[in-house]
Amino acid sequence: MSLSKNEIMRAKLIVTPDLGEAKAALDQEHTCDTWYNYGMALVNAGKSEEAINAYSQGLVENPFAPILYFGRGRRFIGPKLYDRAIADFTMAIRLDPEVYSYWYYRAVTNNLAGNYKAAVSDFRRAMEQTEPFERYGLIDWIFTSYVEMGDMEKARAVLDEIGDDLPEPKIHYGYKRRVRLYKGLIDPENFVDIEDIKKHLIPQKNRMQLEVTTLLFGLYVYYIYKGNDAKANETLLELLKDPYPGAFGSIKAQKAAKDRGLI
């Protein structure tokens, strides 16, 4: 296990490179990193299709670069091209199995595709690459997968696998808060606390909207876990008033709302 790799990846996940600067760096030198940063810059500029093309071109030049398969795989999630995303994450894993984000994103994609058992297996593999303080997101997704499978006993049991108040990375704020909600440590009526979010907010464009989307989907999962369909439906509709585009919570909320006949 290499924690340094996970630290590097965590930084890459929240980077917001300027498009002009990223293009200039790419023109200067074609490397895995300059292609990845250029792809991220295109994403941040709302040019996801062009980002896919950039990652693909980067892979033509660097066919054994796991970060480029990873970058491209993430872009296939939004348009629900889950098979392509899983294929790219699988290549990233084969090339470097020690980066937990590769396992994590394949697991999430499996969950989005309804492959819940495969998702749990991948989340477990991701857990092998992490320290306890990094596991709130993994525990949350395993819990959610079991809830979606209707296995509330296993969902409850997985909550015992992590402490209640470890010093999580800022990027995991929402997941830690969701786990604490599931454990009964936070009252659902006070769960989405804007002032508390502000204290932990990452300086990233539209981050508040993303955090609220993440929390509201967790609140929906909580109500399903508790068997309160009325509050679950109410929470879904609240989330869908202003969802963060492309967020996992948004993608899952839209599907859940359709399945429940709400939209």
Coordinates of all heavy atoms in Angstrom, one line a residue, residues 103 107 117-130 135 138-139 142-143 146 154 157-159 161:
W103 N -10.1 1.7 -7.5 CA -11.1 0.7 -7.0 C -12.4 1.4 -6.6 O -13.5 0.9 -6.9 CB -10.5 0.0 -5.8 CG -9.4 -0.9 -6.1 CD1 -8.0 -0.6 -5.9 CD2 -9.4 -2.2 -6.6 NE1 -7.3 -1.7 -6.2 CE2 -8.1 -2.7 -6.7 CE3 -10.5 -3.1 -6.9 CZ2 -7.8 -4.0 -7.1 CZ3 -10.2 -4.3 -7.4 CH2 -8.9 -4.8 -7.5
A107 N -16.0 0.8 -8.1 CA -17.1 0.3 -7.2 C -18.3 1.2 -7.4 O -19.5 0.7 -7.4 CB -16.6 0.4 -5.8
K117 N -23.4 -6.3 -5.6 CA -22.4 -7.2 -5.1 C -21.0 -6.9 -5.6 O -20.1 -7.0 -4.8 CB -22.8 -8.7 -5.4 CG -24.1 -9.2 -4.6 CD -24.4 -10.6 -4.9 CE -25.6 -11.1 -4.1 NZ -25.9 -12.5 -4.4
A118 N -20.9 -6.7 -6.9 CA -19.6 -6.3 -7.4 C -19.1 -5.0 -6.8 O -17.9 -4.8 -6.5 CB -19.7 -6.2 -8.9
A119 N -20.0 -4.1 -6.6 CA -19.7 -2.8 -5.9 C -19.1 -3.0 -4.5 O -18.1 -2.5 -4.2 CB -20.9 -1.9 -5.9
V120 N -19.8 -3.8 -3.7 CA -19.3 -4.1 -2.4 C -17.9 -4.7 -2.4 O -17.0 -4.3 -1.6 CB -20.3 -5.0 -1.6 CG1 -19.7 -5.5 -0.3 CG2 -21.6 -4.2 -1.3
S121 N -17.7 -5.7 -3.3 CA -16.4 -6.3 -3.5 C -15.3 -5.3 -3.8 O -14.2 -5.3 -3.2 CB -16.5 -7.4 -4.6 OG -15.2 -8.0 -4.7
D122 N -15.6 -4.4 -4.7 CA -14.6 -3.4 -5.1 C -14.4 -2.4 -3.9 O -13.3 -1.9 -3.7 CB -15.1 -2.6 -6.3 CG -14.7 -3.3 -7.6 OD1 -14.0 -4.3 -7.5 OD2 -15.2 -2.9 -8.7
F123 N -15.4 -2.0 -3.2 CA -15.3 -1.1 -2.1 C -14.4 -1.8 -1.0 O -13.6 -1.1 -0.4 CB -16.6 -0.7 -1.5 CG -17.4 0.3 -2.3 CD1 -18.7 0.1 -2.7 CD2 -16.8 1.5 -2.6 CE1 -19.4 1.0 -3.4 CE2 -17.5 2.5 -3.4 CZ -18.8 2.2 -3.8
R124 N -14.5 -3.1 -0.9 CA -13.7 -3.8 0.1 C -12.2 -3.8 -0.3 O -11.3 -3.6 0.5 CB -14.2 -5.2 0.2 CG -15.5 -5.4 0.9 CD -15.4 -5.0 2.4 NE -16.7 -5.2 3.1 CZ -16.9 -4.8 4.4 NH1 -15.9 -4.1 5.0 NH2 -18.0 -5.0 5.0
R125 N -12.0 -3.9 -1.7 CA -10.6 -3.9 -2.2 C -10.1 -2.4 -2.0 O -8.9 -2.3 -1.7 CB -10.6 -4.3 -3.6 CG -10.9 -5.7 -3.9 CD -9.8 -6.6 -3.2 NE -8.5 -6.3 -3.7 CZ -7.9 -6.9 -4.7 NH1 -8.6 -7.8 -5.5 NH2 -6.6 -6.6 -5.1
A126 N -10.9 -1.4 -2.2 CA -10.4 -0.1 -2.0 C -10.1 0.2 -0.5 O -9.1 0.8 -0.2 CB -11.6 0.9 -2.4
M127 N -10.8 -0.5 0.4 CA -10.5 -0.3 1.8 C -9.1 -0.8 2.2 O -8.5 -0.3 3.1 CB -11.6 -1.0 2.6 CG -11.8 -0.5 4.0 SD -13.2 -1.2 4.9 CE -14.5 -0.5 4.0
E128 N -8.7 -1.9 1.4 CA -7.3 -2.4 1.7 C -6.2 -1.4 1.4 O -5.1 -1.6 1.9 CB -7.1 -3.7 0.8 CG -8.0 -4.8 1.2 CD -7.9 -6.0 0.2 OE1 -7.0 -5.9 -0.7 OE2 -8.7 -6.9 0.3
Q129 N -6.5 -0.4 0.6 CA -5.5 0.6 0.2 C -5.6 1.9 1.1 O -4.9 2.9 0.8 CB -5.8 1.1 -1.3 CG -6.0 -0.1 -2.3 CD -4.8 -1.0 -2.4 OE1 -3.7 -0.6 -2.2 NE2 -5.1 -2.2 -2.7
T130 N -6.4 1.8 2.1 CA -6.6 3.1 2.9 C -6.3 2.9 4.4 O -6.3 1.7 4.9 CB -8.0 3.6 2.8 OG1 -8.9 2.6 3.3 CG2 -8.4 3.9 1.3
R135 N -11.9 6.1 5.3 CA -12.9 5.1 4.9 C -14.3 5.5 5.0 O -15.2 4.7 4.8 CB -12.6 3.8 5.7 CG -11.3 3.2 5.4 CD -11.0 2.0 6.3 NE -9.6 1.5 6.0 CZ -9.0 0.6 6.7 NH1 -9.6 0.1 7.8 NH2 -7.8 0.2 6.4
L138 N -16.2 4.9 1.8 CA -16.3 3.5 1.5 C -17.4 2.8 2.3 O -18.2 2.1 1.8 CB -14.9 2.8 1.7 CG -13.8 3.3 0.9 CD1 -12.4 2.7 1.4 CD2 -14.0 3.1 -0.6
I139 N -17.4 3.1 3.6 CA -18.4 2.6 4.5 C -19.8 3.1 4.1 O -20.7 2.3 4.1 CB -18.1 3.0 6.0 CG1 -16.8 2.3 6.5 CG2 -19.3 2.7 6.9 CD1 -16.9 0.8 6.6
I142 N -20.8 1.1 0.9 CA -21.2 -0.3 1.2 C -22.5 -0.3 1.9 O -23.4 -1.1 1.6 CB -20.1 -0.9 2.1 CG1 -18.8 -1.0 1.3 CG2 -20.5 -2.3 2.6 CD1 -17.6 -1.5 2.1
F143 N -22.7 0.6 2.9 CA -24.0 0.7 3.6 C -25.1 0.9 2.6 O -26.2 0.2 2.6 CB -23.9 1.9 4.6 CG -25.2 2.2 5.3 CD1 -25.6 1.5 6.5 CD2 -26.1 3.1 4.8 CE1 -26.8 1.8 7.1 CE2 -27.3 3.4 5.4 CZ -27.6 2.8 6.6
Y146 N -26.0 -2.1 0.5 CA -26.8 -3.1 1.2 C -28.2 -2.6 1.4 O -29.2 -3.4 1.3 CB -26.2 -3.4 2.6 CG -25.0 -4.4 2.5 CD1 -23.8 -4.1 3.2 CD2 -25.1 -5.5 1.8 CE1 -22.7 -5.0 3.2 CE2 -24.0 -6.4 1.8 CZ -22.8 -6.1 2.4 OH -21.8 -7.0 2.4
K154 N -27.1 -6.4 7.2 CA -25.7 -6.2 6.8 C -25.4 -4.7 6.7 O -24.2 -4.3 7.0 CB -25.4 -6.8 5.4 CG -25.3 -8.3 5.5 CD -24.9 -8.9 4.2 CE -24.8 -10.5 4.3 NZ -24.4 -11.1 3.0
A157 N -24.6 -3.6 10.2 CA -23.3 -4.2 10.7 C -22.1 -3.4 10.2 O -21.1 -3.3 10.9 CB -23.3 -5.7 10.3
V158 N -22.2 -3.0 8.9 CA -21.0 -2.3 8.3 C -20.7 -1.0 9.0 O -19.5 -0.6 9.1 CB -21.2 -2.1 6.8 CG1 -22.1 -0.9 6.5 CG2 -19.9 -1.9 6.1
L159 N -21.7 -0.4 9.7 CA -21.4 0.9 10.4 C -20.5 0.7 11.6 O -19.9 1.6 12.0 CB -22.8 1.5 10.9 CG -23.8 1.9 9.8 CD1 -25.1 2.3 10.4 CD2 -23.2 2.9 8.8
E161 N -17.8 -0.8 11.5 CA -16.4 -1.0 11.1 C -15.6 0.3 11.1 O -14.4 0.3 10.7 CB -16.4 -1.6 9.6 CG -17.0 -3.0 9.5 CD -17.0 -3.5 8.1 OE1 -16.0 -3.2 7.4 OE2 -17.9 -4.3 7.7

